[in-house]
Amino acid sequence: MLKKEAKKITGGLSKPSKMPGPAYNLPASQCITGAKLVNVEGSTCSGCYALKGRYKFKNTLIAMARRLAKLHDPRWIDAMVTLINGRHWQKPKPVFRWHDSGDIQSAKHLTNIFEVCKRTPATAHWLPTREARFINLMDPDVVPKNLKIVLSDHMNNQRVTPTWWPYTSGVTTEPKQVSCPSSKQGNKCLDCRKCWDRRTKRVIYGKH
């Protein structure tokens, strides 16, 4: 499959300036759980970054809506693999983030992501989510080894976190609790790979 065709089928990838690699996003307004939490004071979705700033640019909104509409295309998996693996003379993307905006839409969406990860073994994938409904009956051992699914806290400064899933993340308003280094290095990941590394069980981000 040609890259041009793959972009048309999937809606293309996104390129967050913070990330050390490409990403894929959907409209934050279409998050299932996040759309409820955004109206809850003190939640991690309150003041959501993906509902403001560059995410409100017309071209960005159009691109995200296009990606959402393409999720059910039967060629979606093949197309995503093409974009992530690159062509035969290109190196596969070393790291990939799922949903710098938006979240899992269905169980089928998640199993499709699994298949993409299996077929891009040279890439480390990171998938943060608040959609526990799609993973709470899942054995972590069935998740592709190159994919780290991180269950995100619902509330800022949350002290009690789920114990049934091995990888979690939180948001804090207390600077000393932050374990993500990006705020000290120009809001960029640079060499840090905690979010992709399965040896890191929990990451705490500063509220932004």
Side-chain angles (χ1 to χ4, degrees):
M1 180 181 292
L2 296 176
K3 188 175 181 180
K4 181 178 180 179
E5 182 183 5
K7 285 184 176 180
K8 185 176 180 180
I9 292 169
T10 62
L13 304 182
S14 60
K15 299 179 180 179
S17 59
K18 177 181 180 179
M19 297 288 110
Y24 175 84
N25 61 31
L26 298 170
S29 61
Q30 299 304 305
C31 291
I32 300 171
T33 298
K36 300 174 183 177
L37 289 175
V38 74
N39 296 313
V40 178
E41 185 177 354
S43 77
T44 53
C45 293
S46 178
C48 176
Y49 69 85
L51 291 173
K52 55 189 178 183
R54 67 178 182 85
Y55 288 95
K56 293 190 70 176
F57 293 169
K58 183 177 180 180
N59 62 329
T60 302
L61 292 172
I62 291 173
M64 291 191 294
R66 184 173 65 243
R67 294 183 189 109
L68 182 66
K70 295 293 187 179
L71 282 181
H72 302 293
D73 191 304
R75 302 166 295 173
W76 187 86
I77 293 173
D78 288 339
M80 286 298 297
V81 170
T82 295
L83 293 180
I84 295 170
N85 269 343
R87 297 181 179 180
H88 63 87
W89 65 84
Q90 298 172 320
K91 293 182 179 179
K93 309 296 187 292
V95 293
F96 189 84
R97 174 177 177 172
W98 292 92
H99 308 141
D100 57 291
S101 170
D103 208 333
I104 302 168
Q105 296 294 301
S106 66
K108 178 62 174 175
H109 183 193
L110 181 58
T111 57
N112 284 348
I113 290 173
F114 280 12
E115 185 61 27
V116 172
C117 294
K118 290 175 183 177
R119 291 169 57 182
T120 55
T123 298
H125 295 261
W126 164 39
L127 171 59
T129 183
R130 291 179 177 80
E131 303 303 339
R133 72 185 73 193
F134 299 132
I135 64 173
N136 64 2
L137 297 179
M138 185 187 304
D139 183 342
D141 289 337
V142 308
V143 179
K145 299 303 182 184
N146 61 329
L147 169 63
K148 182 180 179 182
I149 300 178
V150 178
L151 192 60
S152 303
D153 288 355
H154 285 187
M155 302 301 293
N156 298 329
N157 305 312
Q158 189 170 311
R159 302 303 181 190
V160 179
T161 59
T163 57
W164 53 269
W165 193 254
Y167 310 108
T168 62
S169 69
V171 175
T172 183
T173 57
E174 303 171 15
K176 292 183 179 181
Q177 300 298 320
V178 175
S179 61
C180 169
S182 65
S183 62
K184 298 179 180 178
Q185 46 195 39
N187 196 35
K188 294 183 182 296
C189 298
L190 298 185
D191 293 332
C192 179
R193 297 293 182 271
K194 289 181 180 179
C195 294
W196 291 269
D197 191 342
R198 284 191 170 201
R199 293 171 297 180
T200 302
K201 302 299 183 181
R202 184 166 172 80
V203 177
I204 304 295
Y205 307 100
K207 179 64 177 177
H208 56 78

